[in-house]
Amino acid sequence: MRVFVPYTDRDPKSRLAPALSESERREFSRAMLRDVLRAVREAGGAPELLVPDAPDSTLFEGSNAPDAVSVTVDERPLTPAVNDALDRLRERGESEVAVVMADLALATPTALRRLFGVGGDVAVAPGLGGGTNALVVRDPRFSVDYHGASDRDHRQIAARVGLSVETVDSMRLAVDIDEPSDLAEVLLHGRGEAREWLCDAGFVVDADGDGRVGVRRS
């Protein structure tokens, strides 16, 4: 199965700015991307990077980088870029195509195999907060819309054209890394290069507070 992984090096993960400098955010984002690409490949998918700019060779330099990745360059916003990519693959005879976000630092091959194997015209792995972290499309009448509460919107799009939707309830696919508080999830549950990067940068779990577990930097 062809699996599109959208990614950008343009001011990556800006909401992590309170915890990481711009260069650190780029390094950490690349580590997460490589973890996702490796998980996709080990789950049996064929990853294809969807980027607004042609990547340099250092993007794939890391302990968790897969051997080879196809690249599609499209400078448009996420929704039209993904929809055009889906259309081109359908024209080439692909019966099912997946889209997996690049910041799913907890994703594992097992979690992705669940998504790839579930039935339905559309299979969705919702993200926390109403987003769509990963999906599989098996009908050409479906199109994506990543604005706002995209999980709800994707169900409505499918319903309008009579398509069935199956949901994969997975912690590892539901958690995308956007805020400094999300870094604790990577330290607690991550298994790849992104966790190693945080540890090397001096981040540790902070469980001394009265509320949610957080992180601190030594």
Side-chain angles (χ1 to χ4, degrees):
M1 180 189 304
R2 181 68 61 180
V3 182
F4 283 106
V5 181
Y7 176 78
T8 180
D9 253 346
R10 298 177 180 177
D11 191 22
K13 289 297 163 189
S14 59
R15 283 187 282 172
L16 290 177
L20 300 172
S21 69
E22 182 176 356
S23 62
E24 288 175 327
R25 285 186 280 118
R26 180 168 290 104
E27 291 176 8
F28 179 60
S29 296
R30 289 181 167 204
M32 289 195 292
L33 169 66
R34 291 190 287 265
D35 284 343
V36 169
L37 293 174
R38 174 66 67 180
V40 167
R41 179 64 58 80
E42 293 183 0
E48 182 161 337
L49 199 60
L50 184 60
V51 292
D53 306 290
D56 61 68
S57 60
T58 62
L59 184 62
F60 303 112
E61 292 179 355
S63 61
N64 223 26
D67 296 333
V69 178
S70 299
V71 177
T72 293
V73 177
D74 191 325
E75 63 183 10
R76 291 175 298 175
L78 181 61
T79 293
V82 170
N83 279 327
D84 185 67
L86 292 175
D87 287 342
R88 282 187 285 105
L89 280 185
R90 290 163 183 151
E91 291 171 358
R92 283 156 45 186
E94 300 277 357
S95 60
E96 56 181 7
V97 183
V99 183
V100 176
M101 294 300 151
D103 59 355
L104 304 187
L106 309 188
T108 61
T110 299
L112 288 170
R113 278 193 291 267
R114 280 188 59 205
L115 173 69
F116 298 162
V118 76
D121 299 316
V122 182
V124 178
L128 302 178
T132 303
N133 284 356
L135 55 78
V136 177
V137 182
R138 299 188 176 96
D139 192 293
R141 291 174 291 173
F142 182 81
S143 60
V144 301
D145 185 349
Y146 285 104
H147 300 98
S150 63
D151 178 57
R152 177 196 61 193
D153 295 342
H154 286 148
R155 295 175 189 281
Q156 292 175 345
I157 291 168
R160 283 199 295 269
V161 292
L163 302 181
S164 62
V165 178
E166 295 291 336
T167 299
V168 173
D169 183 5
S170 168
M171 178 274 287
R172 291 195 169 276
L173 300 182
V175 177
D176 48 343
I177 310 304
D178 286 322
E179 308 284 349
S181 59
D182 298 329
L183 300 179
E185 304 297 340
V186 183
L187 290 173
L188 289 167
H189 304 293
R191 299 178 181 176
E193 189 176 336
R195 184 183 187 280
E196 294 174 3
W197 190 95
L198 289 176
C199 292
D200 290 344
F203 285 91
V204 296
V205 173
D206 184 359
D208 295 334
D210 296 329
R212 180 179 177 181
V213 172
V215 299
R216 57 183 173 82
R217 196 171 191 177
S218 59

